[in-house]
Amino acid sequence: MSKRFEIKSPEVVYDEIDGEYVIVDLASGKYFRIQGESGKLFALIISGQELQTNKDIFSSRTAELIDSTVRTLVDNSIIREATAENSAGSSDKTVSLDLNEFVIEEFTDLQDIIGLDPIHEVDLNQGWPIADESR
């Protein structure tokens, strides 16, 4: 069975700049970077295309890499299987990949800042936003 995937929005946002993807998980506060050939694979996965169609044109090693990459992205709560109404991607696009491994860098150094809720955590005496001390 063919599957299509999408970004797990609204919890996850991303931007692409010159082939480099920066992905922020607003729920966990983690952010990720994907660059180079790995970025091409990420773009293929989130494009809404049926992955089975594309895997058939790749070598078995690349097809395995696509499967493991999807698992990595799902495990990190970056993507989810697309719902029927959101899976309007085209599968007639040809993608060339020269990839031996998928590289995704994970960063947690800004978790406290990303986790702040600037709308609700306001105190007139302390400023805005205020970190929840119970975290």
Side-chain angles (χ1 to χ4, degrees), residues 18-68:
D18 295 330
E20 178 178 319
Y21 288 85
V22 176
I23 305 152
V24 180
D25 181 348
L26 299 171
S28 72
K30 295 179 187 177
Y31 65 101
F32 305 87
R33 180 172 60 187
I34 302 172
Q35 8 181 25
E37 289 292 311
S38 294
K40 289 182 182 179
L41 178 53
F42 178 71
L44 172 70
I45 292 168
I46 64 170
S47 70
Q49 296 185 44
E50 290 185 16
L51 289 179
Q52 189 60 46
T53 302
N54 283 296
K55 285 183 354 185
D56 291 343
I57 65 171
F58 295 129
S59 70
S60 62
R61 170 67 187 119
T62 302
E64 290 172 12
L65 181 61
I66 291 171
D67 288 339
S68 70

Side-chain angles (χ1 to χ4, degrees), residues 15 22 28 31 42 60 63 65 67 87 91 105 112 116 124 134:
D15 197 8
V22 176
S28 72
Y31 65 101
F42 178 71
S60 62
L65 181 61
D67 288 339
S87 60
S91 62
E105 297 173 88
D112 293 336
L116 291 174
L124 296 176
S134 65

Side-chain angles (χ1 to χ4, degrees), residues 45-100:
I45 292 168
I46 64 170
S47 70
Q49 296 185 44
E50 290 185 16
L51 289 179
Q52 189 60 46
T53 302
N54 283 296
K55 285 183 354 185
D56 291 343
I57 65 171
F58 295 129
S59 70
S60 62
R61 170 67 187 119
T62 302
E64 290 172 12
L65 181 61
I66 291 171
D67 288 339
S68 70
T69 299
V70 166
R71 279 192 304 278
T72 298
L73 295 171
V74 168
D75 290 347
N76 280 295
S77 297
I78 295 171
I79 64 170
R80 64 180 167 223
E81 193 168 338
T83 57
E85 62 269 7
N86 293 336
S87 60
S90 167
S91 62
D92 57 355
K93 198 178 189 183
T94 303
V95 177
S96 170
L97 288 174
D98 181 25
L99 190 61
N100 293 320

